[in-house]
Amino acid sequence: MSRKSKRKQATQDAPAPQAPARSGGISRRSLFIAAVAALLLAFVSGALFYSSEKAQAAQRLAAKNRELLASAHSPSYGNADARVHIVEFLDPACETCAVFYGHVKKLMADNPGRIRLSTRHVPLHQGSEHVVRMLESARAQDKYWEALAAVFAGQDRWTVNHRVYPERAWPALEGLGLDLERVRREMNAADIAARMERDAADARTLGVTKTPEYFVNGRPLPRFGLEELQALVREELRSAYQ
Amino acid sequence: MSAPRAPGAAAPHPSDAAWLLVFACWLVATSATLGALFFSEVMELPPCTLCWYQRIFMFPLVLLLPMGLFPFDAKVVRFALPLALAGWLVSIFQVLLVAGWIPESIRPCSQGVPCSEVQVEWLGFVNIPLLSFLAFSTMNALLVAAHLRSRP
């Protein structure tokens, strides 16, 4: 008897005799551990492969449809000659959009004159298209950015648990110097509807299904996240203003 | 002509087959669990209500079955089979729903993702509810076989 099998026998004395720990040459334990490792490896490599494929597909899609990103009709903010251009697809009722808006403003303030922001509207929440109409209508009075900031700031009063109460958004626009009667009168104009349709069509073409979605100089975020956005903006700033 | 067995090595025993059957059942449960997590967490497909019920019956088996494997305890079938059977029933219900054999009015999902919606389809007929049904069917068959094999 080899020394090895002697050792095996010693460890096997503990369990019940009808439950031998060996089966067909490899021990049950190593079979189990190998299976756990194989399954986890398959999952992790599958997940990494899938997400990198997805990021690349998004990049290709954005590169192919670059001219759709910021159409001339989009509201634009900041230095028109800035070499870094952020295009943001947003929904006024989206909480993450409201949170990220402050961070984007801070990025712009930290790099004065170097970043331009354009917004596109994707009202994914039911009822939020009413608020988009209000914002679009405020543009005619040159108050779009003030209105957007106010709507985001008061968001928790007109969006509760992802449910939009469009009428409650009106008080947010008070005190901005807007003629609210005119906003109401003009918000159903045909050109506003056409712009909203254009935004929706471009979002579909670019594969934007969630908000906020950012494109920095035509490049989508590799993965959604504030740090990813800040890193992408830093990278573009570096290559534009070396 | 097999070589003489070392004294410590196992002689063929009925519980060997039963162990392998329970192990195979664990493989199916774990693959199905990771697959479900892949669909929801990696591909970001939102799970419908019926999917959640099937998950409730599938996920515990990943941890429960190994408890009966080390050391082998044929009683594990007693504890695993009710979960596998319940999940199987839910999966049958959803397959019928997707096939359209269960009418609109008794569909249980009115909010979120409709359970009759097919989000992924391969070869024209393989969808996620069918995969779940196949997994639960295999697991029930394996557990019943393990039960029969481990009887003295």
Side-chain angles (χ1 to χ4, degrees):
Chain A
M1 195 200 296
S2 73
R3 212 179 302 163
K4 207 172 172 187
S5 62
K6 220 177 211 160
R7 197 163 58 225
K8 271 262 147 58
Q9 190 180 21
T11 56
Q12 269 174 29
D13 285 342
Q18 74 267 37
R22 276 171 67 88
S23 166
I26 31 169
S27 83
R28 290 171 171 181
R29 189 156 313 197
S30 13
L31 182 64
F32 181 78
I33 291 168
V36 170
L39 287 170
L40 284 180
L41 190 71
F43 182 84
V44 171
S45 53
L48 290 176
F49 178 75
Y50 183 88
S51 40
S52 86
E53 280 291 297
K54 209 167 110 181
Q56 275 171 23
Q59 222 145 31
R60 279 195 299 272
L61 201 62
K64 205 174 78 188
N65 300 292
R66 207 165 165 169
E67 75 284 357
L68 295 184
L69 270 179
S71 54
H73 78 257
S74 313
S76 194
Y77 179 81
N79 177 6
D81 298 323
R83 290 187 212 159
V84 175
H85 186 191
I86 302 177
V87 178
E88 174 177 359
F89 285 77
L90 64 84
D91 176 351
C94 145
E95 281 175 50
T96 313
C97 299
V99 173
F100 269 56
Y101 187 69
H103 292 290
V104 173
K105 277 298 194 56
K106 185 170 182 307
L107 272 173
M108 295 180 73
D110 290 346
N111 300 278
R114 295 182 162 191
I115 301 176
R116 181 160 74 96
L117 171 69
S118 296
T119 54
R120 313 291 306 266
H121 303 124
V122 205
L124 296 175
H125 289 75
Q126 204 175 5
S128 105
E129 67 279 351
H130 182 93
V131 181
V132 171
R133 282 176 189 283
M134 289 160 58
L135 293 173
E136 287 278 6
S137 184
R139 280 174 75 185
Q141 300 178 45
D142 233 356
K143 293 271 183 204
Y144 171 84
W145 295 99
E146 291 85 343
L148 182 64
V151 155
F152 274 151
Q155 194 191 53
D156 57 348
R157 284 191 289 280
W158 58 273
T159 301
V160 182
N161 284 332
H162 291 279
R163 194 165 166 173
V164 179
Y165 301 89
E167 281 304 316
R168 295 191 199 165
W170 286 97
L173 296 189
E174 276 162 19
L176 301 177
L178 269 168
D179 177 352
L180 291 183
E181 270 312 304
R182 192 179 152 202
V183 170
R184 230 180 241 281
R185 213 168 41 239
E186 293 177 350
M187 65 186 275
N188 293 315
D191 61 323
I192 289 181
R195 287 205 293 259
M196 287 170 68
E197 235 156 76
R198 179 79 193 273
D199 279 350
D202 289 351
R204 264 197 304 279
T205 313
L206 289 159
V208 175
T209 54
K210 283 178 269 187
T211 56
E213 190 81 81
Y214 296 92
F215 295 86
V216 183
N217 283 353
R219 294 169 66 197
L221 296 186
R223 210 163 58 83
F224 182 77
L226 180 58
E227 275 168 36
E228 282 79 0
L229 174 65
Q230 288 165 336
L232 189 56
V233 169
R234 263 200 307 275
E235 204 178 297
E236 287 297 322
L237 278 170
R238 232 188 345 261
S239 64
Y241 293 98
Q242 269 277 290
Chain B
M1 298 297 109
S2 60
R5 286 174 183 280
H13 190 279
S15 80
D16 259 1
W19 189 91
L20 278 176
L21 288 165
V22 174
F23 175 71
C25 184
W26 172 82
L27 273 182
V28 175
T30 308
S31 310
T33 295
L34 291 175
L37 290 175
F38 194 89
F39 285 131
S40 65
E41 304 309 310
V42 180
M43 295 177 71
E44 296 178 353
L45 301 172
C48 86
T49 315
L50 286 179
C51 180
W52 276 113
Y53 284 116
Q54 288 163 78
R55 287 164 171 231
I56 286 166
F57 297 122
M58 179 75 79
F59 290 4
L61 294 173
V62 175
L63 299 176
L64 192 143
L65 291 172
M67 297 289 121
L69 288 173
F70 301 106
F72 183 62
D73 180 356
K75 274 214 183 84
V76 74
V77 175
R78 270 179 68 83
F79 306 120
L81 203 53
L83 289 169
L85 270 175
W88 190 59
L89 291 178
V90 180
S91 75
I92 291 176
F93 183 76
Q94 191 173 8
V95 165
L96 293 179
L97 204 66
V98 171
W101 291 6
I102 292 179
E104 189 96 42
S105 55
I106 47 170
R107 278 177 195 179
C109 318
S110 53
Q111 283 193 327
V113 193
C115 291
S116 55
E117 188 183 301
V118 175
Q119 297 190 90
V120 172
E121 196 161 51
W122 295 293
L123 309 173
F125 71 99
V126 182
N127 50 46
I128 302 174
L130 182 70
L131 288 175
S132 169
F133 169 72
L134 290 177
F136 275 115
S137 303
T138 314
M139 283 167 38
N140 279 291
L142 289 168
L143 287 173
V144 169
H147 177 65
L148 295 177
R149 285 301 186 91
S150 62
R151 272 203 300 207

